[in-house]
Amino acid sequence: MTFTAPRVALVVTAATVMVATNLYGAVAARADGDPSVPPGTEASASAPVQVDPNDPDLKLPEGATLAEPKVLDIKQVVEDEAGEERREDTNADVKFALQAEVLFSKDSAKLSGESKARIAAIADEIKKQNATKIRVFGFTDNLGSSAHGDVLSKQRANAVQDILESELNDANVTYEVRGYGEQYPIADNSTETGRKKNRRVEVSFPRGEG
């Protein structure tokens, strides 16, 4: 009998919808090198309503105009009790993060039978969302050489992508597969608990595409 740890919701709301009312010349601030967001995975969304910058009811100072309206993502995060699997949902994307220990042996890129079942479950969600663009990114902790981490993380991402491709069996699906090594940690590498979280493979895809 296989025991499945219960899932618990950790974070419900990370941001709220906001229509920008900044005066012209203002820009949205964003820190460079956000460790939890690899390049190409930044969420994007359009404003749900149109705003008329000439509406007299806005009562802007004379000569001022509205900046472009923006929507900030609402993020929901669910993680299993052991922290082995994590799911993040935003209005634009779905992302699964699986700890390397539940997929591979130490310093290995060979998947176990149990880990293949976990990846097959992600494939089912991809089908549900009708997604055709899949990102598979591998990460390691900062132990060992950076070059070794880069190679191992890419090999692990490739292994996960192979299972997804087999499960989906869809020529219309495209994959972006990368190994980032020790880049973009999501936890403190100075502790084993943090390093364990950083050793992971992430699978992300758009919500409801098509």
Side-chain angles (χ1 to χ4, degrees), residues 7-210:
R7 297 176 180 276
V8 292
L10 297 185
V11 180
V12 176
T13 303
T16 55
V17 177
M18 178 183 72
V19 177
T21 57
N22 300 31
L23 301 184
Y24 76 99
V27 295
R30 186 178 187 278
D32 291 332
D34 185 341
S36 64
V37 184
T41 65
E42 300 88 347
S44 62
S46 58
V49 295
Q50 297 294 322
V51 178
D52 181 4
N54 298 314
D55 188 335
D57 292 333
L58 292 175
K59 298 182 180 179
L60 293 175
E62 184 177 354
T65 60
L66 287 175
E68 287 296 319
K70 298 180 183 297
V71 174
L72 300 182
D73 267 339
I74 297 174
K75 179 185 290 186
Q76 181 178 31
V77 179
V78 177
E79 187 174 88
D80 66 15
E81 193 172 73
E84 296 175 344
E85 183 173 335
R86 176 185 178 97
R87 172 174 174 157
E88 296 182 7
D89 286 85
T90 70
N91 62 308
D93 298 284
V94 179
K95 179 167 68 177
F96 289 89
L98 298 172
Q99 287 187 6
E101 276 79 356
V102 304
L103 298 175
F104 310 97
S105 299
K106 184 177 181 181
D107 207 31
S108 169
K110 184 176 180 180
L111 290 162
S112 67
E114 180 182 352
S115 62
K116 291 177 182 178
R118 287 177 180 261
I119 298 168
I122 295 176
D124 288 341
E125 182 64 23
I126 292 172
K127 294 175 185 177
K128 179 180 176 181
Q129 298 294 338
N130 295 315
T132 58
K133 296 179 181 179
I134 315 301
R135 296 187 180 101
V136 186
F137 295 163
F139 305 85
T140 64
D141 58 29
N142 66 349
L143 298 182
S145 72
S146 176
H148 177 69
D150 290 346
V151 172
L152 180 61
S153 62
K154 178 64 184 308
Q155 290 174 336
R156 287 175 167 176
N158 283 337
V160 172
Q161 186 266 335
D162 285 344
I163 300 301
L164 288 173
E165 188 170 25
S166 175
E167 290 290 330
L168 294 172
N169 192 26
D170 187 344
N172 294 317
V173 174
T174 59
Y175 300 87
E176 180 182 357
V177 184
R178 298 185 186 181
Y180 284 105
E182 64 187 55
Q183 298 182 70
Y184 309 108
I186 58 173
D188 187 356
N189 268 314
S190 67
T191 68
E192 177 54 26
T193 299
R195 290 191 293 270
K196 187 175 181 180
K197 291 182 177 181
N198 291 332
R199 299 189 294 265
R200 68 197 190 278
V201 175
E202 295 181 353
V203 179
S204 60
F205 45 91
R207 294 184 62 86
E209 183 176 303

